[in-house]
Amino acid sequence: MAEVKIGNVTLENGVFLAPMAGVTDLPFRLLCREMGTGLVCSEMVSAKAIYFNNKNTEGLLEIHEKERPVSLQLFGSDPQLMAEMAKRIEERPFSILDINMGCPVPKVVNNGEGSALMKNPVLAGKIISAVAGAVNKPVTVKIRKGFDEAHANAVELAHIAQESGAAAVAVHGRTREQYYAGKADWDCIAQVKQAVSIPVMGNGDVNGPEAAERMLKETGCDAVLVGRAARGNPWIFRQIIHYLETGELLSKPPIEEVRAMMLRHAALLTEYKGEFTAIREMRKHVCWYTAGYPHSARLRERINEMETMEELEALFLA
């Protein structure tokens, strides 16, 4: 796999972890990095929360040496505040600053943030320009196909991003109205790739090695973002990279390896968030890790009764 260059940052391959709220925290990013992903991305961080020194935000901003390079994702709708907060955190050890203009969640959209910015291209341009002008690190922008089908303006937004100083743009081939339902429109990613000269990252329906190869071929994009398909499956990065390099499909990891990964994930969560939070967060991860394996329904039932790391270990090692 060829390297991908975003601004002055060189990434070893173009198979990236997409940002996902409630999923791409530090422990999960470490596991995906170990599996070979060229870039990990943080959960999105509110510029307002940084400004008000929100105590939960510090954890979102934490970065480990072993997960780098990291893209840190910021969201907000005030150009000056976004620029000032970008400047405030610039010395932290992330390599790339990503601006979220794709989040479809109502509480974000209703504040005029996330994908709501696709309805306001002028403001979007001002935000990108202000942030890119405030920091020396490369700034990227995550957008969608459009807010809805009637306003599919990804090409316009990508142009604005490029002209406003963005070093790359990521395009999710769904509208805000679609959320994550239906099929992602890869044509809009191809159109963006043809329209701009900065690197383009494709996002949407990259659920395995063959889909990753197909997206790269069909759209001409420079990198693929793997989102929901990575939940409970950090191996997907190893599988995609191996397939793109050799044409060979690696088999699904054996249940022993899945168990070991779950234990490792739980241990990392305990280290960074404490046992109480870690065990509760592992419940959703275990559902993802064990999907499709025999007898996994019983395991998922039992995980919901767990309170301690000791109980979790006993269950996984039984």
Side-chain angles (χ1 to χ4, degrees), residues 87-125:
K87 191 74 193 156
R88 184 190 286 189
I89 62 171
E90 188 178 16
E91 284 185 6
R92 289 173 180 264
F94 62 91
S95 303
I96 292 166
L97 186 66
D98 187 53
I99 302 173
N100 181 302
M101 295 189 178
C103 178
V105 175
K107 69 175 181 183
V108 173
V109 171
N110 294 341
N111 274 338
E113 301 166 335
S115 56
L117 289 163
M118 294 204 69
K119 293 195 291 185
N120 194 339
V122 173
L123 178 58

Side-chain angles (χ1 to χ4, degrees), residues 54-201:
N54 177 285
K55 61 179 172 56
N56 296 329
T57 301
E58 189 52 45
L60 295 176
L61 292 167
E62 192 175 350
I63 290 165
H64 191 286
E65 179 63 36
K66 286 187 176 170
E67 60 168 319
R68 296 171 67 193
V70 177
S71 171
L72 190 125
Q73 195 183 62
L74 201 60
F75 76 98
S77 57
D78 179 327
Q80 188 182 346
L81 183 70
M82 285 283 283
E84 285 172 7
M85 294 310 101
K87 191 74 193 156
R88 184 190 286 189
I89 62 171
E90 188 178 16
E91 284 185 6
R92 289 173 180 264
F94 62 91
S95 303
I96 292 166
L97 186 66
D98 187 53
I99 302 173
N100 181 302
M101 295 189 178
C103 178
V105 175
K107 69 175 181 183
V108 173
V109 171
N110 294 341
N111 274 338
E113 301 166 335
S115 56
L117 289 163
M118 294 204 69
K119 293 195 291 185
N120 194 339
V122 173
L123 178 58
K126 285 178 180 169
I127 292 168
I128 298 161
S129 182
V131 173
V135 297
N136 293 317
K137 290 180 178 178
V139 171
T140 60
V141 186
K142 177 103 190 288
I143 62 173
R144 283 183 168 244
K145 177 182 178 179
F147 195 80
D148 52 37
E149 282 297 336
H151 305 92
N153 61 342
V155 170
E156 180 194 2
L157 255 293
H159 258 302
I160 288 168
Q162 178 173 283
E163 287 159 18
S164 303
V169 63
V171 186
H172 187 141
R174 289 183 175 88
T175 64
R176 186 269 168 168
E177 277 197 346
Q178 279 182 278
Y179 276 71
Y180 301 99
K183 194 166 178 279
D185 178 3
W186 289 1
D187 282 346
C188 85
I189 300 168
Q191 288 162 18
V192 168
K193 178 60 191 166
Q194 287 161 11
V196 296
S197 57
I198 55 176
V200 173
M201 299 168 262

Side-chain angles (χ1 to χ4, degrees), residues 270 273-281 307:
T270 302
K273 299 185 179 185
E275 187 175 54
F276 182 87
T277 303
I279 300 305
R280 279 150 187 82
E281 287 198 5
E307 297 283 341

Side-chain angles (χ1 to χ4, degrees), residues 28 43 169 306:
F28 186 66
E43 298 175 82
V169 63
M306 301 289 147

